Amino acid sequence: MSEKELKNLEEIFEARIARDEKIEPKDWMPEKYRQTHIRQISQHAHSEIVGMLPEGNWITRAPSLRRKAALLAKVQDEAGHGLYLYSACETLGISRDELYEQLHSGKAKYSSIFNYPSVTWADMGAIGWLVDGAAIINQVPLCNTSFGPYARAMVRVCKEESFHQRQGFEIMLTLCNGTPEQKDMAQDALNRWWWPSLMMLGPTDDASVHTEQSLKWKLKRKTNDELRQQFIDQTVPQADLLGLTIPDPDLKFNEETGHYDFGEIDWDEFWQVVKGHGPCNKERMKARVDAWENGTWVRDAAMAYAEKQAKKKVAKAS
Amino acid sequence: MSEKELKNLEEIFEARIARDEKIEPKDWMPEKYRQTHIRQISQHAHSEIVGMLPEGNWITRAPSLRRKAALLAKVQDEAGHGLYLYSACETLGISRDELYEQLHSGKAKYSSIFNYPSVTWADMGAIGWLVDGAAIINQVPLCNTSFGPYARAMVRVCKEESFHQRQGFEIMLTLCNGTPEQKDMAQDALNRWWWPSLMMLGPTDDASVHTEQSLKWKLKRKTNDELRQQFIDQTVPQADLLGLTIPDPDLKFNEETGHYDFGEIDWDEFWQVVKGHGPCNKERMKARVDAWENGTWVRDAAMAYAEKQAKKKVAKAS
Amino acid sequence: MNKENLYNYILGIADNSLILAQRLGELCGHGPNLETDIALTNISLDLLGQTRSYYQYAASVSGDSKTEDDIAFLRLERDYKNVLLLEQPNTHFGYVIGRQFLFDVYHLLFMQELQKSKDETLVAIANKGIKEVSYHQRFSSDWIKRLGDGTKESHDKIQEAIDALWRFTDELFDLTENDNTMVEAGIAVDVSKLKEKYYKSVAEVLTEATLTIPESKFFTRGGKTGTHTEHMGYLLADLQYMQRTYPDMKW
Amino acid sequence: MNKENLYNYILGIADNSLILAQRLGELCGHGPNLETDIALTNISLDLLGQTRSYYQYAASVSGDSKTEDDIAFLRLERDYKNVLLLEQPNTHFGYVIGRQFLFDVYHLLFMQELQKSKDETLVAIANKGIKEVSYHQRFSSDWIKRLGDGTKESHDKIQEAIDALWRFTDELFDLTENDNTMVEAGIAVDVSKLKEKYYKSVAEVLTEATLTIPESKFFTRGGKTGTHTEHMGYLLADLQYMQRTYPDMKW
């Protein structure tokens, strides 16, 4: 392809996106578009499956049968999200094994929030309420993103996430309406998850490297700081409703802007966790790698069996 | 050695035993004496270390700090007993590795009682009271057995065992003086451990293969049935003191004999457990083999290090 | 037959579902791939659903203020009546599948018979559950075949698991005194009659999977009378943790 | 400084001994050989003895009817203040020795300073404990050398453990608000001042053991303020099992 032809294709491509047309896997796309999408979709998929771990930690200890079943179902949904997202990613010409390899080797990232430990039952509430809440704010705009398979996966994901978010809030509400010990547990969970949740919306705009290009491709529709403000504005009244105190002495409603002002985020902590030095990075990665490695013989068996069966069929047919 | 010389040596040997002299490792002894002692002493050593497992099972869950420390110390004593007994056995010309190999391969036996699970805290009481009680009855006569190292080890073992037995009884007493739930727990433990404890004294005399020879060598001083009767006569009044019911409807004091009559023992169960099909035979053996195999690299390291240090010393000296 | 007999009978069934669901719950997020992870979680969810129906029924039978959670979380170890098979640990995936398969074949036969019970609520639970259980059995049987007739390694591993778990199968067909009373009342399944069919079905799948049917005639029992293996206490310590630590609260 | 400060300070020390004793207790009967099994149990027993002295003192300070067992078994996870290092699991013998060594070096320095406290009871406990702890440190240092300078396999395994546990060491030298109050009162050890000596001692042993001193400057903390790793909940579920299941009884 000549340089001119390439430029032409790129122009047509950008025009399609500008017209809000969906790009499908078989369509021509710039290599950078493909790579950026592989990076983002797989990162998202990895976040789902690593995100199973802090919640999975409480399945055996859930305090009632109803909560146990709901938690199991929620963690299972996350596995399901992982599945759609890996599938969407595979349409871009990368295999699931390669994607796992990137995760296990540390080359691919996942959402840093899952590197914090889940230390009490109230964390199941806080994760649903805050973490899923922040995730939805990140993800809703992606239902209209330009890459078709990703956009469609997100529609499904967002619907379930918002169910999870309500469920998390309801766990918090039950605790806050419960005994003083339960309310303490809820407040403690909010204290620990609040700041990491704010960090989930990504670094501040001036530190964010991918924003401009991502806005053009509709992988982003708002900047990180806008999303963060939206999350805070939405969450503070919910905390009030619960009767919990957001652990930020600088938090205050600004009558002029109509938004909440808030205190400084500890970006050193953020970067430390991103770089692999959070409280549970090692544990999370070990859990994933162990699951994968302990499962090798199982996957091999399934493959060997399928091949034997296929051969038998062929033998019969001939 | 001519047959006559051998016979002569044997006669001198038997005479020494008859005079209650101790046989020491360096003394001449008939091969059968050596083999019988290796079998019995190692079986006894194995019983100590397998016996650590049912009690070890409750260390992390002991109900008070005092009980936790006492239980730890008790299980540690059993390791100590294992250590003396293996050492005594090694004087007969067999290595500890060979002895372990016999245990792990199933060639050597250990006391079948340890193939029952410890399912409640009260089992820590019942094991001390009944199992150590029966063990003492088996073992006290061995303090005067003919083989010196074994006799001396037994003096030490018996002293500690009787401390353990009192401790076990005291656990039972505390439970029996406690709440109804605690008393139920104690009764339940007695129900489960009573019959296996009776079996600990060995098969009935007519089914016992080693008795006659063992009596001569003072490896036994009473028959299994005599020991069993002694155990029952001693234990029934203790159960009365605790206010517990021995789970044997046929148990009754016989004014004529001055002993307790008792019901039929389920010898099928006994032989099934001896042959490896008790409730925990597989788990016990797995725990021992795992400990040994997981420890291989550690023992190898210690050996390699010791060799390096020895070489360094030699190098320095020369 | 009285109320207490019925109550105990329901618990005997329900505890099986609870304990297996709990074991499967440990695996969530740690499966050999996402599809299997999701499938095992599904089974756990089905079993938990059944558990809740049974305990809710038991709670209503008991007539006192007990809830499903009191029954699930606040009994002593000796009062859980699940069979020993189901409390065995997730040693490796072969054990997970072996345990599931050895139970599913029984569970399906059991549910089919429970549909004929004179107790309408149990029939309703069985009618709903039987579809789930037949899916479980298909799932575990398929995996028995995949592992048995997969690679050398998988063959050895699933054979090892079947051999190790085999000794817990005979207990499935024991009848407690309470069971006998309930069989006479036409409510309980006479599980002793399922034995032959069970071993036949199991043998068929194992054979197709190129596995050897264990020959041992020595079996371990005790779960139905509440004498559990040493694994059970640790399972309960986790299961009961919250309810024991924070008594009398709503969640 | 008030009574509550002292109470909390004692617990902060005692919880370290309790949690390490508990972890070591898990190993009893499963050691690589009898001699090591006995030695590790000895350490566990020493630590339990210290724990009891501390808690008994704390109970007397609290002035209410609390007993050592109430303190040991009936707190919520967030109220245990042991450092994260000590709750880490017995992954393999390298981790057991690595954890022990990284704590023992600190513990000995700590005990030496505690002997200078203005609180007589703490001084008495330290006087008694210091002999035990210096034995522990000798034991674990010797094993660090054996494993480090033993075989290739043992070298790699102990290095792996040291590398993995290293990130929990910095927390040892944190001072909580309560600690600061107690340091000012002349009762607490200013652990922040032990840091340099600690890393020097550790480095000496690691070097002699032919091991590499980890370079990471990233550390994990939280135990001293009660935010534990996910291992802690399971440890407590077992530790507290009996007291939670059978409340208010004597044992």
Side-chain angles (χ1 to χ4, degrees):
Chain A
M1 208 181 312
S2 76
E3 213 168 290
K4 202 179 149 195
E5 280 169 325
L6 186 66
K7 209 162 158 55
N8 198 20
L9 276 170
E10 273 176 9
E11 270 165 26
I12 298 172
F13 177 84
E14 299 290 352
R16 287 186 61 194
I17 291 185
R19 282 197 307 275
D20 261 343
E21 279 178 34
K22 290 280 173 276
I23 308 300
E24 294 302 330
K26 284 175 186 168
D27 297 343
W28 183 90
M29 62 185 78
E31 191 49 28
K32 197 174 168 207
Y33 181 91
R34 183 188 307 275
Q35 291 308 330
T36 302
H37 276 78
I38 288 177
R39 203 192 64 238
Q40 175 159 339
I41 301 171
S42 71
Q43 187 169 324
H44 192 164
H46 297 328
S47 299
E48 294 286 352
I49 64 163
V50 176
M52 295 169 75
L53 299 170
E55 291 177 294
N57 185 40
W58 281 89
I59 289 170
T60 58
R61 292 176 293 169
S64 73
L65 291 176
R66 185 172 76 92
R67 292 292 183 200
K68 190 189 282 281
L71 182 59
L72 255 174
K74 184 190 169 184
V75 181
Q76 187 191 35
D77 281 348
E78 287 159 6
H81 299 173
L83 210 50
Y84 321 147
L85 288 161
Y86 283 123
S87 301
C89 204
E90 286 171 292
T91 66
L92 290 163
I94 187 164
S95 72
R96 225 201 283 180
D97 280 13
E98 283 173 273
L99 293 170
Y100 281 142
E101 168 52 32
Q102 290 179 356
L103 172 65
H104 297 164
S105 68
K107 196 188 150 202
K109 299 278 174 237
Y110 56 88
S111 182
S112 270
I113 191 97
F114 302 120
N115 292 315
Y116 290 86
S118 66
V119 297
T120 72
W121 169 252
D123 292 9
M124 299 303 99
I127 291 175
W129 174 38
L130 301 174
V131 177
D132 291 342
I136 292 167
I137 284 181
N138 261 332
Q139 292 166 7
V140 163
L142 293 171
C143 297
N144 293 314
T145 190
S146 62
F147 185 56
Y150 192 28
R152 288 188 292 273
M154 290 320 295
V155 171
R156 220 168 138 180
V157 168
C158 282
K159 224 166 81 184
E160 293 181 357
E161 293 282 20
S162 78
F163 176 72
H164 295 162
Q165 205 247 349
R166 279 198 306 277
Q167 199 172 69
F169 184 77
E170 201 244 318
I171 290 177
M172 294 301 272
L173 194 60
T174 307
L175 294 175
C176 291
N177 290 334
T179 65
E181 282 148 298
Q182 286 176 302
K183 185 147 190 192
D184 285 353
M185 199 194 275
Q187 179 66 56
D188 170 59
L190 172 58
N191 294 348
R192 287 179 290 103
W193 291 96
W194 174 254
W195 292 105
S197 298
L198 296 191
M199 296 178 197
M200 260 187 90
L201 286 315
T204 51
D205 294 346
D206 49 330
S208 178
V209 286
H210 304 298
T211 300
E212 197 191 345
Q213 178 68 85
S214 293
L215 283 170
K216 207 164 74 183
W217 287 338
K218 300 177 183 173
L219 265 174
K220 260 191 188 302
R221 308 220 127 184
K222 292 182 182 175
T223 70
N224 293 347
D225 286 336
E226 285 168 342
L227 293 171
R228 189 162 16 248
Q229 189 66 58
Q230 185 186 337
F231 174 72
I232 293 171
D233 291 347
Q234 160 190 312
T235 308
V236 175
Q238 294 170 352
D240 291 344
L241 203 72
L242 293 170
L244 296 178
T245 308
I246 303 249
D248 178 357
D250 296 327
L251 189 84
K252 211 170 69 188
F253 190 71
N254 184 327
E255 296 285 349
E256 245 168 79
T257 60
H259 294 295
Y260 282 88
D261 293 340
F262 55 96
E264 190 110 10
I265 291 174
D266 180 354
W267 291 111
D268 283 350
E269 178 179 323
F270 176 76
W271 291 113
Q272 182 169 335
V273 179
V274 168
K275 282 174 186 153
H277 306 292
C280 301
N281 297 59
K282 294 206 169 48
E283 285 81 356
R284 300 297 180 234
M285 211 35 58
K286 185 177 183 318
R288 288 310 319 155
V289 171
D290 283 354
W292 189 246
E293 290 181 353
N294 294 337
T296 305
W297 69 272
V298 178
R299 297 189 305 276
D300 289 350
M303 188 111 62
Y305 179 79
E307 278 167 19
K308 283 186 199 176
Q309 293 303 104
K311 267 188 206 155
K312 272 188 201 163
K313 240 185 205 160
V314 172
K316 253 191 199 160
S318 64
Chain B
M1 206 182 310
S2 75
E3 216 167 289
K4 201 179 148 193
E5 282 169 324
L6 186 67
K7 208 159 156 60
N8 197 21
L9 277 170
E10 274 176 9
E11 271 166 24
I12 298 171
F13 177 84
E14 299 290 352
R16 287 186 62 195
I17 292 186
R19 284 197 305 274
D20 261 341
E21 281 177 34
K22 290 278 173 276
I23 307 300
E24 295 301 330
K26 284 176 187 165
D27 298 343
W28 183 88
M29 62 185 78
E31 191 50 29
K32 198 176 167 208
Y33 182 90
R34 183 189 307 276
Q35 291 308 330
T36 302
H37 277 77
I38 289 177
R39 202 192 66 237
Q40 174 160 339
I41 301 171
S42 70
Q43 186 168 324
H44 191 164
H46 298 328
S47 298
E48 294 286 353
I49 65 164
V50 176
M52 296 169 75
L53 299 170
E55 291 177 293
N57 185 39
W58 280 90
I59 289 170
T60 58
R61 292 176 294 168
S64 74
L65 292 175
R66 185 171 76 93
R67 291 293 182 199
K68 190 190 283 282
L71 182 59
L72 256 174
K74 184 189 169 185
V75 181
Q76 188 189 37
D77 282 346
E78 287 159 7
H81 298 174
L83 212 49
Y84 321 146
L85 289 162
Y86 283 124
S87 300
C89 204
E90 286 171 293
T91 66
L92 290 163
I94 187 163
S95 71
R96 228 203 282 181
D97 280 13
E98 284 172 274
L99 293 170
Y100 282 142
E101 168 52 32
Q102 289 179 355
L103 173 65
H104 298 164
S105 69
K107 196 189 151 199
K109 299 279 174 236
Y110 56 88
S111 182
S112 271
I113 192 96
F114 302 119
N115 292 314
Y116 290 85
S118 67
V119 296
T120 73
W121 169 252
D123 292 9
M124 299 302 100
I127 291 175
W129 173 39
L130 302 174
V131 177
D132 291 342
I136 293 167
I137 285 182
N138 261 332
Q139 292 166 7
V140 164
L142 292 171
C143 297
N144 293 313
T145 190
S146 62
F147 185 56
Y150 192 28
R152 288 188 292 273
M154 290 320 295
V155 171
R156 221 170 137 179
V157 168
C158 282
K159 222 166 82 185
E160 293 181 358
E161 293 281 20
S162 78
F163 175 72
H164 296 162
Q165 205 249 350
R166 279 200 304 279
Q167 200 172 69
F169 184 77
E170 200 243 319
I171 291 176
M172 294 303 270
L173 195 60
T174 308
L175 294 175
C176 291
N177 290 334
T179 64
E181 280 148 300
Q182 287 177 301
K183 186 146 189 194
D184 283 354
M185 200 193 274
Q187 179 66 55
D188 170 59
L190 172 57
N191 294 349
R192 286 179 291 104
W193 292 94
W194 174 253
W195 291 104
S197 298
L198 296 193
M199 295 179 199
M200 261 187 89
L201 285 315
T204 51
D205 295 345
D206 49 330
S208 178
V209 287
H210 305 299
T211 300
E212 197 192 347
Q213 178 68 82
S214 294
L215 283 169
K216 206 162 76 183
W217 287 338
K218 300 177 183 173
L219 266 174
K220 260 190 189 301
R221 309 221 128 185
K222 291 182 185 177
T223 70
N224 293 347
D225 287 336
E226 286 168 340
L227 294 171
R228 186 160 21 244
Q229 189 65 58
Q230 184 186 338
F231 174 71
I232 293 170
D233 291 346
Q234 159 190 315
T235 308
V236 174
Q238 295 170 350
D240 291 343
L241 203 72
L242 293 170
L244 296 178
T245 308
I246 303 246
D248 177 358
D250 296 329
L251 189 85
K252 210 169 69 186
F253 190 72
N254 184 327
E255 298 284 351
E256 244 166 80
T257 60
H259 294 294
Y260 283 89
D261 293 338
F262 55 96
E264 189 110 9
I265 292 174
D266 180 355
W267 291 110
D268 283 350
E269 178 179 324
F270 176 77
W271 290 113
Q272 182 169 335
V273 179
V274 169
K275 284 174 184 153
H277 306 290
C280 301
N281 297 59
K282 296 209 167 45
E283 285 81 356
R284 300 297 180 237
M285 210 35 57
K286 185 177 183 319
R288 288 310 319 155
V289 171
D290 283 354
W292 189 246
E293 289 180 353
N294 294 337
T296 305
W297 70 271
V298 178
R299 297 190 303 276
D300 289 350
M303 188 111 60
Y305 180 79
E307 278 168 18
K308 282 185 198 175
Q309 293 304 103
K311 266 187 205 154
K312 274 187 199 161
K313 240 185 205 161
V314 171
K316 253 190 195 159
S318 65
Chain C
M1 182 212 109
N2 58 29
K3 216 173 67 173
E4 208 184 324
N5 293 130
L6 178 58
Y7 178 81
N8 286 327
Y9 182 63
I10 303 168
L11 261 53
I13 312 173
D15 288 350
N16 282 340
S17 295
L18 173 70
I19 299 304
L20 183 52
Q22 176 76 359
R23 276 287 184 231
L24 292 172
E26 292 171 15
L27 294 167
C28 183
H30 306 275
N33 59 25
L34 281 175
E35 291 78 357
T36 324
D37 207 308
I38 290 170
L40 287 174
T41 303
N42 253 334
I43 295 176
S44 181
L45 280 167
D46 288 342
L47 292 168
L48 264 185
Q50 292 165 17
T51 305
R52 294 187 65 192
S53 303
Y54 288 126
Y55 286 159
Q56 283 163 11
Y57 181 36
S60 81
V61 166
S62 85
D64 54 26
S65 62
K66 255 193 222 92
T67 67
E68 57 174 284
D69 290 329
D70 295 335
I71 301 176
F73 297 105
L74 293 174
R75 282 178 290 154
L76 301 177
E77 176 173 333
R78 300 286 273 114
D79 298 327
Y80 286 82
K81 299 298 163 66
N82 58 285
V83 293
L84 302 179
L85 173 66
L86 303 178
E87 70 205 39
Q88 299 312 302
N90 300 321
T91 309
H92 61 53
F93 189 74
Y95 282 78
V96 174
I97 292 298
R99 182 183 62 204
Q100 191 66 41
F101 169 69
L102 291 174
F103 180 64
D104 288 343
V105 174
Y106 163 84
H107 202 191
L108 186 58
L109 293 172
F110 175 84
M111 284 294 213
Q112 283 162 350
E113 291 303 310
L114 193 62
Q115 288 183 311
K116 303 173 193 160
S117 168
K118 282 191 185 159
D119 184 294
E120 282 176 25
T121 312
L122 291 178
V123 170
I125 298 175
N127 284 340
K128 183 170 178 298
I130 201 155
K131 269 171 280 172
E132 298 166 349
V133 175
S134 60
Y135 162 76
H136 304 170
Q137 201 226 0
R138 228 165 28 244
F139 173 85
S140 60
S141 300
D142 283 352
W143 269 105
I144 290 282
K145 292 176 207 163
R146 278 194 202 103
L147 299 178
D149 196 17
T151 64
K152 168 84 172 67
E153 183 182 7
S154 70
H155 178 92
D156 293 351
K157 281 200 140 112
I158 187 65
Q159 184 73 59
E160 169 207 333
I162 294 287
D163 290 349
L165 296 169
W166 193 256
R167 68 190 174 101
F168 299 112
T169 52
D170 199 56
E171 188 192 8
L172 291 163
F173 311 101
D174 284 356
L175 287 164
T176 63
E177 239 175 88
N178 191 66
D179 290 340
N180 279 321
T181 310
M182 296 299 290
V183 168
E184 274 166 41
I187 291 176
V189 175
D190 183 348
V191 290
S192 69
K193 293 192 179 145
L194 307 176
K195 197 164 175 171
E196 205 178 319
K197 234 178 176 175
Y198 172 85
Y199 282 111
K200 198 166 156 276
S201 291
V202 165
E204 273 168 20
V205 176
L206 293 182
T207 304
E208 197 186 329
T210 74
L211 293 166
T212 307
I213 297 145
E215 279 182 16
S216 173
K217 292 283 171 285
F218 295 102
F219 295 99
T220 308
R221 50 199 0 105
K224 287 189 176 181
T225 51
T227 308
H228 292 279
T229 59
E230 289 174 1
H231 304 296
M232 185 71 172
Y234 298 96
L235 181 151
L236 289 182
D238 291 344
L239 178 73
Q240 300 188 337
Y241 176 73
M242 287 296 293
Q243 286 275 343
R244 294 286 187 199
T245 306
Y246 301 90
D248 300 321
M249 303 187 195
K250 294 226 179 318
W251 301 97
Chain D
M1 182 213 106
N2 59 28
K3 214 173 67 170
E4 206 183 327
N5 293 130
L6 178 58
Y7 178 80
N8 286 326
Y9 182 64
I10 304 167
L11 261 52
I13 313 174
D15 288 350
N16 282 340
S17 296
L18 173 69
I19 298 303
L20 183 53
Q22 176 76 0
R23 276 288 185 231
L24 292 172
E26 291 171 17
L27 294 167
C28 183
H30 305 275
N33 60 25
L34 280 176
E35 291 79 356
T36 325
D37 207 308
I38 290 170
L40 288 173
T41 304
N42 253 335
I43 296 177
S44 181
L45 279 167
D46 288 343
L47 292 167
L48 263 185
Q50 293 164 17
T51 306
R52 295 187 65 192
S53 304
Y54 288 125
Y55 286 159
Q56 283 163 10
Y57 182 36
S60 80
V61 166
S62 85
D64 54 25
S65 61
K66 253 192 224 92
T67 67
E68 57 174 286
D69 289 328
D70 295 335
I71 301 176
F73 297 104
L74 292 175
R75 283 177 291 154
L76 300 177
E77 176 173 334
R78 299 286 273 116
D79 298 327
Y80 285 83
K81 298 300 162 65
N82 58 284
V83 293
L84 302 181
L85 173 67
L86 303 178
E87 70 205 40
Q88 299 310 303
N90 301 321
T91 311
H92 61 54
F93 189 74
Y95 281 78
V96 174
I97 292 299
R99 181 184 62 204
Q100 191 66 41
F101 169 68
L102 292 173
F103 180 65
D104 287 343
V105 174
Y106 162 84
H107 201 191
L108 186 57
L109 293 172
F110 176 84
M111 284 296 215
Q112 283 162 351
E113 292 303 310
L114 192 63
Q115 287 183 312
K116 303 173 194 159
S117 168
K118 283 189 185 159
D119 184 294
E120 283 176 25
T121 313
L122 290 178
V123 170
I125 298 176
N127 284 341
K128 183 171 178 296
I130 202 155
K131 270 170 280 172
E132 297 167 348
V133 175
S134 61
Y135 162 75
H136 302 172
Q137 202 226 1
R138 230 168 23 248
F139 173 84
S140 61
S141 300
D142 284 351
W143 269 107
I144 290 283
K145 292 176 206 162
R146 277 193 203 104
L147 298 179
D149 196 17
T151 64
K152 168 85 172 67
E153 183 183 6
S154 70
H155 178 92
D156 293 351
K157 280 200 139 115
I158 186 65
Q159 184 73 59
E160 169 207 333
I162 294 289
D163 290 349
L165 296 169
W166 193 256
R167 68 190 175 101
F168 299 111
T169 53
D170 199 56
E171 188 191 10
L172 291 162
F173 310 102
D174 284 355
L175 287 164
T176 63
E177 241 175 85
N178 191 67
D179 289 340
N180 280 322
T181 310
M182 296 299 292
V183 168
E184 274 165 41
I187 291 176
V189 175
D190 183 348
V191 290
S192 69
K193 293 193 179 144
L194 306 177
K195 198 162 173 170
E196 207 178 317
K197 232 179 179 172
Y198 172 85
Y199 283 111
K200 198 166 155 275
S201 291
V202 165
E204 274 169 17
V205 176
L206 293 183
T207 304
E208 196 186 331
T210 75
L211 292 168
T212 307
I213 297 145
E215 279 182 15
S216 172
K217 293 281 172 286
F218 295 101
F219 294 100
T220 309
R221 48 196 5 105
K224 287 189 177 181
T225 51
T227 308
H228 292 278
T229 58
E230 289 174 1
H231 303 295
M232 185 70 171
Y234 298 96
L235 181 149
L236 290 182
D238 291 344
L239 178 73
Q240 301 188 338
Y241 176 73
M242 287 297 294
Q243 285 275 343
R244 295 283 186 200
T245 306
Y246 300 90
D248 299 322
M249 303 188 195
K250 295 226 177 321
W251 301 97

